[in-house]
Amino acid sequence: MGKESDDAVPQEYLYFWSKGSSMALPDFLAKYKPSMVQNDGTKPWIWVEASNGKPDTSESGAAAAISEAAALLKEVSQRVEEIKNDDSIPMRSNKKTGAKSKKEVREKVQADATEKLKDISIKHSYVCGKWLIFAPADKVDAIWFKIATSLVSGALASTCAFLTKVATSPANETPHHQHVICLYIPDVYNKDAVTDVMKVLLRNHGVNLSGVKSDLYTGVGLDSKHSSGIPSTVWKNTSLLADSKIKASVQLRRGHVNVAHAPVQDLKDAYFSGLNAASTSAAKLEEKKDKPSITAKKRPIPKKKTQKDDPFASDDEADTQEAERKQKVQAKGKSGKRSQSSDMDADADESDKPKTKKKKSAR
């Protein structure tokens, strides 16, 4: 029939945690990591339930909804095939004649079917579903740990989310394997509640979201490859937070983000910006711890051109400098006296010469 059992919470399952479990959540998450648990056909998922538990859902209502939806999908698949083979429906639309193209006719049938599936869900009170998250194998453990913890005692605990699960590892090694994480919400058609969960996932966890899928869709096997061509998710990311329609001044550097108006990419950037800021602060703190504490201040280097005394010089240095200065002054003084006496002697010699001449003439 389908995959409705994938959304059923298992009974007495080793890889299921709830507030009544004997093991603490951190211990449970550390013991059963999705990267380490291999699916041998008996353990495809690891589950964590929020403290508020799962909302009541009638099993008979779920079965009735799945049965009615399956009949609808069969009808839509046949109609899509008829449109494909109907030569009277042109490949391209014609504005003059008003003829619709095959694509337009097909999409109209699929859109009507989507609304009918919503009506079936509401009629049978089977409106629960989940956010789909994909995580690479090398990061799934960390992402899963944070989401599960947040659901029980973090930001997700304040939303309508009530249950989460992560796919275990395949039995055989698969290159580029992606683990799917499902975060369950009670009503996929409550747009405001669904959007609130989306904002927390983007801002607090920075995960890659792949839309919101109804449990009814899972139950009838509606995926992206279904022959009906009906969209496999109730909500796409841009249907809830359209980047082109949201204009908000997000101050990422200061860490102030208006989550109510922030675009999807800005919310993810804010998350990673916070991680980078935290890691940078931690690195600086470690670097500061490693450096030895310096209590003594460095002695300032005196300027060469200034004639002021060095306040850091010792008394001996000051005395030496003063003695050198006095010696220079004395040397200059002696040089001046010697020059003056030489001049006087020269003058005396000149004055003596005329006197000598006078004596000779007298004879």
Side-chain angles (χ1 to χ4, degrees):
M1 167 65 69
K3 299 180 180 179
E4 61 271 20
S5 61
D6 283 352
D7 295 316
V9 178
Q11 298 296 325
E12 298 181 358
Y13 183 62
L14 180 63
Y15 304 97
F16 174 78
W17 186 94
S18 67
K19 62 180 180 180
S21 299
S22 58
M23 189 182 299
L25 179 61
D27 296 335
F28 174 83
L29 296 174
K31 185 175 182 179
Y32 303 118
K33 297 180 179 180
S35 65
M36 302 300 293
V37 178
Q38 286 190 338
N39 180 21
D40 58 1
T42 63
K43 44 182 179 291
W45 304 98
I46 301 173
W47 299 75
V48 170
E49 187 179 62
S51 300
N52 55 359
K54 182 180 179 180
D56 295 333
T57 303
S58 172
E59 293 184 3
S60 60
I66 290 173
S67 177
E68 188 174 346
L72 174 63
L73 291 187
K74 183 178 180 180
E75 178 183 338
V76 174
S77 296
Q78 292 175 350
R79 179 58 183 145
V80 169
E81 187 66 20
E82 290 175 358
I83 295 171
K84 178 181 177 181
N85 299 325
D86 191 346
D87 294 336
S88 64
I89 303 176
M91 293 296 295
R92 296 182 180 181
S93 60
N94 191 322
K95 292 183 179 180
K96 293 182 178 180
T97 62
K100 302 293 184 181
S101 65
K102 286 183 180 294
K103 179 182 177 181
E104 291 173 328
V105 175
R106 183 180 67 251
E107 289 180 346
K108 178 65 168 60
V109 172
Q110 293 165 343
D112 292 342
T114 299
E115 288 299 317
K116 290 180 181 179
L117 288 173
K118 177 181 178 179
D119 294 339
I120 293 172
S121 297
I122 295 174
K123 180 175 68 174
H124 296 285
S125 300
Y126 191 46
V127 293
C128 55
K130 58 270 184 185
W131 268 105
L132 299 177
I133 305 162
F134 286 90
D138 60 336
K139 297 180 180 179
V140 65
D141 289 344
I143 294 174
W144 165 244
F145 183 92
K146 291 179 180 179
I147 290 179
T149 303
S150 178
L151 178 65
V152 175
S153 59
L156 285 174
S158 62
T159 68
C160 66
F162 64 90
L163 183 69
T164 184
K165 69 179 182 182
V166 61
T168 55
S169 299
N172 300 321
E173 185 176 353
T174 305
H176 311 294
H177 177 70
Q178 294 274 332
H179 293 254
V180 61
I181 300 175
C182 298
L183 182 65
Y184 286 85
I185 47 183
D187 186 355
V188 295
Y189 297 107
N190 185 337
K191 185 176 182 179
D192 292 339
V194 172
T195 305
D196 289 341
V197 175
M198 179 185 188
K199 291 174 181 177
V200 173
L201 288 173
L202 293 174
R203 179 63 184 90
N204 293 65
H205 300 285
V207 294
N208 293 320
L209 301 174
S210 298
V212 178
K213 190 167 188 174
S214 167
D215 285 357
L216 176 61
Y217 285 20
T218 303
V220 296
L222 179 58
D223 55 23
S224 59
K225 298 179 181 179
H226 196 273
S227 58
S228 67
I230 298 173
S232 59
T233 56
V234 175
W235 298 107
K236 294 181 179 180
N237 296 349
T238 53
S239 299
L240 298 170
L241 290 176
D243 293 349
S244 60
K245 295 182 180 180
I246 301 175
K247 296 180 180 179
S249 56
V250 182
Q251 300 175 343
L252 294 177
R253 293 183 179 178
R254 297 181 180 180
H256 301 306
V257 180
N258 189 343
V259 178
H261 302 289
V264 175
Q265 190 60 40
D266 284 340
L267 290 170
K268 293 183 70 175
D269 290 345
Y271 166 76
F272 289 110
S273 177
L275 288 183
N276 293 335
S279 61
T280 302
S281 300
K284 288 183 177 179
L285 182 60
E286 291 297 327
E287 183 179 355
K288 187 176 181 181
K289 289 181 180 179
D290 295 338
K291 288 184 177 180
S293 58
I294 301 174
T295 56
K297 294 182 178 179
K298 291 183 178 180
R299 181 176 296 179
I301 300 174
K303 296 181 179 179
K304 294 182 179 179
K305 294 184 179 180
T306 58
Q307 300 297 327
K308 295 182 179 180
D309 293 337
D310 185 1
F312 296 96
S314 63
D315 294 338
D316 293 339
E317 291 176 346
D319 294 342
T320 302
Q321 291 177 358
E322 181 65 19
E324 291 177 355
R325 186 181 66 81
K326 289 181 178 181
Q327 290 179 358
K328 291 180 180 180
V329 172
Q330 291 176 358
K332 289 182 179 180
K334 290 180 180 180
S335 175
K337 288 181 179 180
R338 289 176 181 174
S339 176
Q340 186 175 3
S341 62
S342 298
D343 294 339
M344 292 176 65
D345 292 340
D347 293 340
D349 292 341
E350 290 296 330
S351 61
D352 289 341
K353 288 180 180 179
K355 290 180 181 180
T356 303
K357 289 179 179 181
K358 286 182 180 180
K359 288 180 181 181
K360 289 182 178 181
S361 57
R363 288 179 184 178

